[in-house]
Structure formats: C-alpha cells, structure tokens
Amino acid sequence: MQIPIRMIGIATTFFWIFLIAFFVSAVYSVKDVRFNFGEPRMGVTADNKMVFSLPIAIVNRGFYNIGFFNLTIEISDKEGFIITRGSTFVPVINKNDAVTITHNMTIDANELLQRDENYLFNDTELKIYEAVSMRIAGVIPIQASTNLSMSWGAPLYNFALGEVEYDAHNNTHLKVVVPISFENHAFFDLVGNIQIRMYNSTNMLVGDGQTNLEARHNSPHQGYLELYVSKTGVTENGYFEVYFLTTFFNYGPLVIPYG
C-alpha cells in the first residue's frame, strides 16, 4: 500500500511546524533562566593551600530542563598568563527548580611565585574569565561568558630592612640588629620564619640568623632580627640575603644591599 504524496507532504509540514515551535519555545525559555554569581573569595584549606571560591545560583523558570550545565573559570594575571583553570559540571537542572553550587579551585602559592615574585611585594589585580555552557531540553546549546577582576593583596607589601645597628658582643664578635617592616595585605595570616644571611663587600658570609614571623592579614608588621658576626669580617657595605619560610610559600633569596 502506498502512502499518498499529499499525506507525506502534510506530515512533513507538521513535523517542521513542531520542530520550529519547539526551537522557538526552547530559545524563548532562556529568558526565564537566571544566573546569580556571588562575590568571588579567596580562602585557606586545611593543608594551607589557597582556594578560590565562586558561588552561583541557577534558577530555571523555563519550559524545559537544562542539561550538561558547565561552568569554567580561568584566573590570569595582567599579561594573560593563566594561573589556574577549572570547571564545575551539573548534569541536569529541572524546570521550575533552583540550584546553588560553589566552584572551588586551589592555587599553589609557590607556583604563583615562580611565575612572578611581585605577587609577594606588590598589590595587583587578577583577571577572572567565566564561561557558561548548557543545553536547553538536552539538545539546544547555549553559551555565555563574562570577565571580571579581583584584587590581590601582597603579603609582604613594602618590605624593607631598616638601618642596621652594631653592638659589641665580646672581644671577637658584634651583635647586629636588623629592623624589619612590611604590611600584610593578603587575605591570610603570615606565619613562619625569616632567615637573613649577611655578606661583606668581598661576598664573604659573615653571619646569619632567623626570627619567627607572625603577621596578621591586613595589618602592618614591625620586628627585628639579631645575628652575630666576626669583627674582622665586617665591612662598611655589603648585602643581606633574606629567606621567607612560611606555611603558604618559601621564597629567597631576596638580596638587599647595606652601607
């Protein structure tokens, strides 16, 4: 039995009408999908890693379920170097449903400093790229992206060694007092040690010492370090090598001349 060509034409017409109507309604329903991005935050994990967190609330008031929802975030510096990248995936967000997720990414401070030591000593801005992709009714792809920025506070902002003081310790050695000052602009407390090595004008190591480091976030810090050096090795000028050993990062040497 053959199906009349006229009936095939009618069926095809209804198919295309249905397909167009479905497509239009699916696209139209996108206007009833809301994304509310929360404030990006930096925090600390139990194992002393820095973690970036971004909450996002998704409200689906459209006609269809949302499938394959994916949020991708890249954090980069001013030059475009990607510091870290990660994605969060949600298989299905049902219609008339609201979902809140938190996208987390860890950042290794030592890797960050290998890229640029200025993160230690200078405040700056980090660039955040956000990309969202999904499928309406499981078949129609939708993509959107945006850019924003986030402040980075340097943990050793304006770090400096003050004027060195010399006091007699005994017949052969001097006590050297080195003032230390900086401002911790970071979101975390700085805990660890500062080590200093003192070299004279001939590059000879004449003494070394260390002191505990405890600097609250968003606060200034002032302290000093004592070391003992041989009188015969001291010259009018030279340089210090400064090393930082903290729970978040190790860095050094920072070379600072004196005299």
Side-chain angles (χ1 to χ4, degrees):
M1 178 179 178
Q2 292 184 341
I3 300 176
I5 295 177
R6 182 171 177 274
M7 293 182 63
I8 295 177
I10 294 173
T12 302
T13 300
F14 276 113
F15 171 78
W16 280 108
I17 292 174
F18 169 79
L19 188 62
I20 293 171
F22 167 74
F23 180 82
V24 170
S25 64
V27 173
Y28 182 77
S29 71
V30 173
K31 74 177 182 62
D32 295 319
V33 179
R34 297 286 183 267
F35 302 100
N36 297 315
F37 289 91
E39 182 181 355
R41 297 183 180 275
M42 296 291 285
V44 178
T45 65
D47 57 348
N48 292 320
K49 296 283 188 180
M50 295 187 296
V51 59
F52 169 87
S53 298
L54 179 70
I56 176 174
I58 309 146
V59 181
N60 183 12
R61 294 289 182 259
F63 304 133
Y64 304 97
N65 295 344
I66 295 173
F68 303 99
F69 177 87
N70 189 74
L71 170 65
T72 299
I73 293 181
E74 291 181 352
I75 301 177
S76 60
D77 60 18
K78 291 182 178 180
E79 286 70 40
F81 174 80
I82 297 177
I83 297 170
T84 187
R85 185 179 190 272
S87 298
T88 295
F89 178 75
V90 181
V92 178
I93 302 172
N94 295 321
K95 63 180 180 179
N96 298 320
D97 199 3
V99 175
T100 299
I101 61 175
T102 300
H103 177 82
N104 295 318
M105 296 188 300
T106 57
I107 301 174
D108 191 310
N110 284 308
E111 291 183 2
L112 188 63
L113 295 176
Q114 287 178 6
R115 162 65 182 173
D116 191 346
E117 66 183 19
N118 286 321
Y119 289 111
L120 269 182
F121 306 105
N122 297 299
D123 296 344
T124 187
E125 293 284 329
L126 299 178
K127 297 191 297 183
I128 302 174
Y129 170 76
E130 303 171 352
V132 171
S133 64
M134 71 195 87
R135 290 182 180 272
I136 302 297
V139 293
I140 299 177
I142 301 293
Q143 294 182 337
S145 63
T146 187
N147 292 281
L148 54 94
S149 62
M150 181 178 65
S151 298
W152 168 267
L156 297 170
Y157 180 81
N158 204 27
F159 181 87
L161 300 180
E163 185 176 352
V164 179
E165 299 179 3
Y166 298 90
D167 291 318
H169 178 64
N170 55 33
N171 293 333
T172 60
H173 285 74
L174 298 172
K175 182 175 75 170
V176 179
V177 180
V178 184
I180 299 170
S181 64
F182 64 91
E183 297 176 15
N184 181 7
H185 290 180
F187 61 89
F188 53 83
D189 296 339
L190 203 55
V191 179
N193 294 303
I194 295 180
Q195 298 178 352
I196 291 182
R197 297 176 182 175
M198 183 177 183
Y199 292 83
N200 64 16
S201 58
T202 64
N203 298 322
M204 183 180 75
L205 176 65
V206 295
D208 62 83
Q210 72 173 25
T211 186
N212 292 333
L213 174 62
E214 293 185 10
R216 297 282 297 176
H217 70 282
N218 295 323
S219 65
H221 175 82
Q222 291 185 337
Y224 65 91
L225 184 147
E226 296 180 352
L227 54 126
Y228 298 88
V229 301
S230 172
K231 290 182 178 180
T232 58
V234 174
T235 55
E236 291 187 2
N237 52 61
Y239 60 92
F240 293 106
E241 287 185 349
V242 186
Y243 297 82
F244 305 92
L245 308 174
T246 76
T247 53
F248 286 98
F249 61 85
N250 297 329
Y251 176 79
L254 172 65
V255 179
I256 300 177
Y258 69 86

